[in-house]
Amino acid sequence: MTFGLVLAGLVTASIAQGHHLEYRATPQVYDSCINANDIALTFDDGPYIYLRDISDQFTRAGAKATFFMNGNNWDCIYNPDRISDVKYAFAAGHMIGSHTWSHADLTSLSTPQIQDAMFRMEEAFSRILGIKPAFMRPPFGDYNNNVQSIAAARGQSLALWDWDTGDADGNTTAQSEAVYNDVVNAKVKNALILEHETEETTDSTLVPYAINLFQSKGYNLVTMAQCLGVDPYQAIGVPQQQTPSWTCDGTPDPGAACGGSITCETGTPTFSSTTTVTGPTPTATYIHPTASASKCLTAASNTDGAAVEIEDCISGGSTSQGWTISGSNLKIFGTKCLDVTNGATADGTKLQIWTCASGNTNQMWAFSGSAITWTGHSSCVDLTDGSTANGNLIQIWTCTFGPNQQWTQTIG
Ligand SMILES: *[C@@H]1O[C@H](CO)[C@@H](O)[C@H](O)[C@H]1NC(C)=O
């Protein structure tokens, strides 16, 4: 499931700080990091009794972790100890995301049941932390189009992973450590790794091993949002005061869903916002010929058939230069995709943008080193005649992986 989006360096400080996008990015599915040299260690299924200790281990190492939490799984999140631990990890700057209320397999649920599983978790975060999560990790990593569109309507992207330690699937600690060693031996650009907060040996053995290993190899241990260069939350407001209604009684049991005596909650929870609404995840990527960081892959206009050409990068980012990676599509203006004109396979066929259509093979791309390849063909996105002059049109050409086919991405 690795989608190898390779960031060939060049995330300058000014660009990294300038999250001033002019449009709301479509929530999407992330199964790998974007930024080079970042590793995000993610922990599912808590909050449980190891949360505070894992949080402390990362904090002591100057590192950050990510926790995808359930409301009613190994413990009830409204247990006062769990409330206190969740606040503690959040205050330490670790990222908190939703893993849904009861860890039911969302692909087996009806639409109101999926909404309920997401609602109850969002309500707990709104109450305890005063946050609206921007990421939801579907239990078991299982999702379908319905799950994706419900998450999108709630402003959430789906959070998957590209390496699994198997710590909750019966792997011994030695086997899980071998996964970390594999990551290092593969000399990955980045990694998004799955662990579970609920395993004693993950806390006692895997976390110290991973922190030491990855830091000794020079990787940055960051949150999932940081490794993507996006915001972890849709909004940060203020926590609420606890009341007796903060309970897991009368809610779906672990693995179960609403229905019968339990009403399905299909709305959105009350959110107390007195502070900044940071907005959903800015995810635009600027694509430069590797030869010239000041030039950007640009759509000539926002209409179907508009040419794709090279132009000077517009400072602060521009909607005509901000591309979003969504599965194998490279999107722009929210609904348009990088597209091979008429799907012609001849060398020299020019690229255009066209309304995205799922399954349209003219719009499918993969990142391979610094090349952008047309999936299913041996053609690459190519700078015509190697010229970085403004207005030069972009074409496909048989992949040579030469200088005309080398592209560098920076995050807006
Ligand atoms: C378990 O460990 C083995 C050996 O390190 C590894 O190949 C595998 O991916 C791990 N994960 C699972 C889910 O088995």
Side-chain angles (χ1 to χ4, degrees):
M1 73 148 58
T2 305
F3 176 56
L5 167 55
V6 176
L7 176 76
L10 261 176
V11 179
T12 67
S14 60
I15 291 173
Q17 285 160 11
H19 281 173
H20 302 299
L21 294 193
E22 294 151 24
Y23 64 97
R24 292 163 75 91
T26 314
Q28 54 188 274
V29 179
Y30 292 103
D31 60 13
S32 59
C33 290
I34 291 177
N35 292 339
N37 219 39
D38 281 355
I39 289 186
L41 293 165
T42 66
F43 298 85
D44 287 8
D45 295 0
Y48 193 49
I49 55 178
Y50 307 113
L51 174 57
R52 196 175 274 258
D53 193 57
I54 293 174
S55 168
D56 283 343
Q57 292 190 63
F58 277 85
T59 303
R60 276 199 300 272
K64 293 283 185 277
T66 301
F67 299 94
F68 289 102
M69 294 184 176
N70 299 119
N72 196 21
N73 191 9
W74 284 60
D75 197 355
C76 173
I77 196 169
Y78 294 126
N79 171 337
D81 288 341
R82 300 291 81 78
I83 291 177
S84 147
D85 293 346
V86 170
K87 286 179 183 287
Y88 182 87
F90 177 69
H94 304 303
M95 172 176 155
I96 312 288
S98 170
H99 198 32
T100 75
W101 182 253
S102 67
H103 206 278
D105 181 346
L106 300 177
T107 63
S108 71
L109 305 185
S110 67
T111 292
Q113 287 174 322
I114 298 167
Q115 290 168 329
D116 180 88
M118 295 186 66
F119 170 92
R120 291 181 192 273
M121 197 64 236
E122 293 159 20
E123 180 178 60
F125 287 146
S126 184
R127 287 168 165 175
I128 296 170
L129 299 175
I131 59 164
K132 274 191 200 175
F135 287 87
M136 188 275 284
R137 173 167 283 168
F140 313 102
D142 287 347
Y143 68 98
N144 54 26
N145 287 344
N146 194 32
V147 170
Q148 197 178 343
S149 64
I150 293 168
R154 305 178 81 89
Q156 293 169 26
S157 297
L158 301 193
L160 300 178
W161 56 85
D162 56 8
W163 294 85
D164 181 358
T165 58
D167 63 339
D169 294 330
N171 263 8
T172 62
T173 52
Q175 286 172 315
S176 295
E177 288 171 3
V179 174
Y180 295 136
N181 293 335
D182 288 346
V183 171
V184 165
N185 292 336
K187 299 199 184 333
V188 294
K189 280 275 195 283
N190 53 43
L192 177 54
I193 309 181
L194 173 65
E195 292 86 2
H196 294 78
E197 186 236 300
T198 50
E199 301 293 319
E200 190 279 328
T201 51
T202 294
D203 173 27
S204 64
T205 307
L206 295 188
V207 167
Y209 186 88
I211 290 176
N212 181 51
L213 175 69
F214 293 133
Q215 289 192 332
S216 75
K217 299 294 180 188
Y219 286 103
N220 304 315
L221 292 176
V222 300
T223 67
M224 179 168 176
Q226 285 173 317
C227 86
L228 295 168
V230 303
D231 289 324
Y233 310 115
Q234 298 180 65
I236 301 175
V238 289
Q240 298 166 25
Q241 290 294 323
Q242 188 167 7
T243 72
S245 66
W246 292 25
T247 174
C248 292
D249 294 345
T251 73
D253 286 333
C258 62
S261 63
I262 302 173
T263 305
C264 292
E265 302 280 0
T266 59
T268 50
T270 309
F271 182 76
S272 304
S273 174
T274 58
T275 52
T276 36
V277 172
T278 56
T281 55
T283 54
T285 291
Y286 299 88
I287 302 176
H288 316 273
T290 298
S292 179
S294 64
K295 298 288 180 164
C296 278
L297 197 66
T298 305
S301 80
N302 62 3
T303 56
D304 281 351
V308 175
E309 58 196 33
I310 283 297
E311 297 289 346
D312 291 332
C313 296
I314 298 168
S315 164
S318 161
T319 50
S320 64
Q321 299 179 336
W323 300 87
T324 307
I325 292 120
S326 177
S328 50
N329 289 151
L330 259 171
K331 286 191 177 176
I332 196 158
F333 304 115
T335 58
K336 305 292 182 192
C337 277
L338 183 70
D339 183 289
V340 180
T341 305
N342 298 324
T345 55
D347 281 353
T349 300
K350 297 296 182 273
L351 293 173
Q352 61 179 7
I353 61 166
W354 199 268
T355 301
C356 302
S358 85
N360 183 341
T361 54
N362 302 350
Q363 301 178 343
M364 293 184 182
W365 304 95
F367 294 83
S368 166
S370 47
I372 304 172
T373 61
W374 187 17
T375 302
H377 299 258
S378 46
S379 307
C380 280
V381 176
D382 184 287
L383 188 61
T384 305
D385 300 327
S387 163
T388 56
N390 287 345
N392 186 29
L393 299 177
I394 304 303
Q395 62 186 8
I396 54 156
W397 198 270
T398 303
C399 293
T400 63
F401 303 105
N404 299 356
Q405 299 182 352
Q406 290 176 17
W407 304 90
T408 297
Q409 299 163 38
T410 59
I411 309 301

